[in-house]
Amino acid sequence: MNLVGGESLIHLYSPQMLRALSEYSVKTSVVTNAIVVREELKIMLDCTGRE
C-alpha cells in the first residue's frame, strides 16, 4: 500500500495506520516531502517496525 497525495504524513493517524498495516504484513511506502517531519513523528514512525 502506498500513501501518496499531498503530504501523507499530515494526517493525524498516519503512524497508527502504518503500524496496523505492518501488523497484517502489508508492505507499505510513504511518499513525503518531509515538511511535517518532526522528532515526535520520527519516533512514532520508527515504532511501526518498518524501514
Side-chain angles (χ1 to χ4, degrees):
M1 175 169 292
N2 298 317
L3 300 178
V4 297
E7 178 47 65
S8 302
L9 297 179
I10 204 166
H11 191 283
L12 180 62
Y13 297 107
S14 291
Q16 291 88 342
M17 288 188 291
L18 291 167
R19 185 177 303 114
L21 291 166
S22 176
E23 290 173 2
Y24 287 100
S25 299
V26 175
K27 292 184 180 185
T28 59
S29 68
V30 178
V31 176
T32 179
N33 59 14
I35 285 179
V36 297
V37 174
R38 57 190 188 285
E39 192 61 32
E40 175 185 333
L41 182 58
K42 286 195 277 186
I43 292 168
M44 289 170 57
L45 291 171
D46 284 345
C47 291
T48 65
R50 307 304 272 174
E51 295 181 11

